Amino acid sequence: EMDDGQHKIAFMTTWNIKCGIAEYSKYLTNALSSLNVSSIVISNSDSDIRNNSNSPDDKKEINIYQLWKYDNVHCANSEIDTCGIIQMLKKEKIRILNIQYHSAFYDEKSLVEFVAQCVAERIRVSITLHNPTGIAHETIYLLSSEGVRFSVHTDQDQEKLIHAGISNVIYIPQGILDFPDKDIQTSRAISGIS
């Protein structure tokens, strides 16, 4: 928590690239900003940080630190700058880290080692599992034993994890943008749908 009463959280996520998780993270940080929660983004090193506001309507900029490498071609050479991330979190006085995770971002061993180091530094970690079926149960158990809290996007994923003995998992449905009726009508007319 900051001195002015505003809460701070760091998100480790893809950012400003063609990726659904990057887009999801932008909407998430924007929503939290409206609740007086300050977000810092730990992004992939190849993200475009020239425009670091949440949306064209939002004038508030997000601090972005490019501290992990995303090998989105081979999914084998990704790297996490653990020391750099922990130093930045300490400098920014952030004690909560949410990792937006997909197994294509970096390997599970790197994730477990990174989380263990964060926990050793008294940083609370939560992980949003965007594809929990693609992660080994052993990895989820190891992370859970470190005190990690998980979130998933379907109630079926939550039920599977709870049934497997993971009790610290919550279901957060992905939001759907609300479009004005005129946009829907225009879209239907353009598409030939009546």
Side-chain angles (χ1 to χ4, degrees):
E1 188 171 308
M2 297 169 59
D3 292 337
D4 62 3
Q6 186 179 36
H7 299 279
K8 289 174 87 172
I9 186 170
F11 289 92
M12 187 167 165
T13 182
T14 50
W15 193 259
N16 275 358
I17 63 170
K18 289 184 180 182
C19 171
I21 294 171
E23 196 68 18
Y24 171 84
S25 296
K26 275 195 165 195
Y27 284 109
L28 181 59
T29 57
N30 194 34
L32 289 171
S33 177
S34 69
L35 298 171
N36 202 33
V37 176
S38 177
S39 300
I40 288 178
V41 172
I42 303 165
S43 78
N44 48 304
S45 57
D46 60 334
S47 65
D48 178 5
I49 61 171
R50 290 173 291 173
N51 175 14
N52 63 347
S53 64
N54 277 348
S55 71
D57 300 329
D58 186 13
K59 303 300 180 214
K60 185 175 179 178
E61 290 192 355
I62 300 246
N63 289 332
I64 300 171
Y65 296 85
Q66 295 176 301
L67 295 168
W68 64 279
K69 178 185 169 197
Y70 176 28
D71 174 12
N72 62 348
V73 176
H74 303 289
C75 299
N77 299 312
S78 298
E79 297 174 2
I80 302 171
D81 180 358
T82 301
C83 291
I85 292 171
I86 290 174
Q87 286 175 359
M88 180 278 300
L89 292 172
K90 286 180 175 181
K91 178 182 147 240
E92 294 285 345
K93 297 180 181 168
I94 296 175
R95 305 312 281 160
I96 302 170
L97 171 64
N98 173 263
I99 300 170
Q100 298 289 316
Y101 186 71
H102 190 285
S103 57
F105 291 166
Y106 33 84
D107 64 69
E108 296 175 23
K109 181 178 182 242
S110 297
L111 175 65
V112 170
E113 290 172 356
F114 172 66
V115 167
Q117 294 224 3
C118 288
V119 170
E121 294 292 333
R122 309 182 117 234
I123 297 165
R124 292 189 327 201
V125 178
S126 66
I127 300 176
T128 303
L129 300 172
H130 289 276
N131 182 15
T133 58
I135 301 170
H137 286 290
E138 297 80 25
T139 298
I140 294 174
Y141 291 127
L142 284 170
L143 293 167
S144 182
S145 71
E146 291 284 357
V148 170
R149 299 188 65 82
F150 300 98
S151 60
V152 294
H153 296 304
T154 70
D155 53 354
Q156 294 90 352
D157 286 335
Q158 180 189 31
E159 288 172 20
K160 284 179 190 174
L161 290 173
I162 290 172
H163 185 68
I166 305 298
S167 60
N168 51 346
V169 59
I170 60 170
Y171 160 55
I172 301 176
Q174 287 186 329
I176 299 173
L177 293 177
D178 189 21
F179 292 100
D181 288 340
K182 67 178 182 177
D183 290 341
I184 293 171
Q185 292 168 352
T186 303
S187 297
R188 286 182 175 186
I190 292 169
S191 304
I193 301 170
S194 49

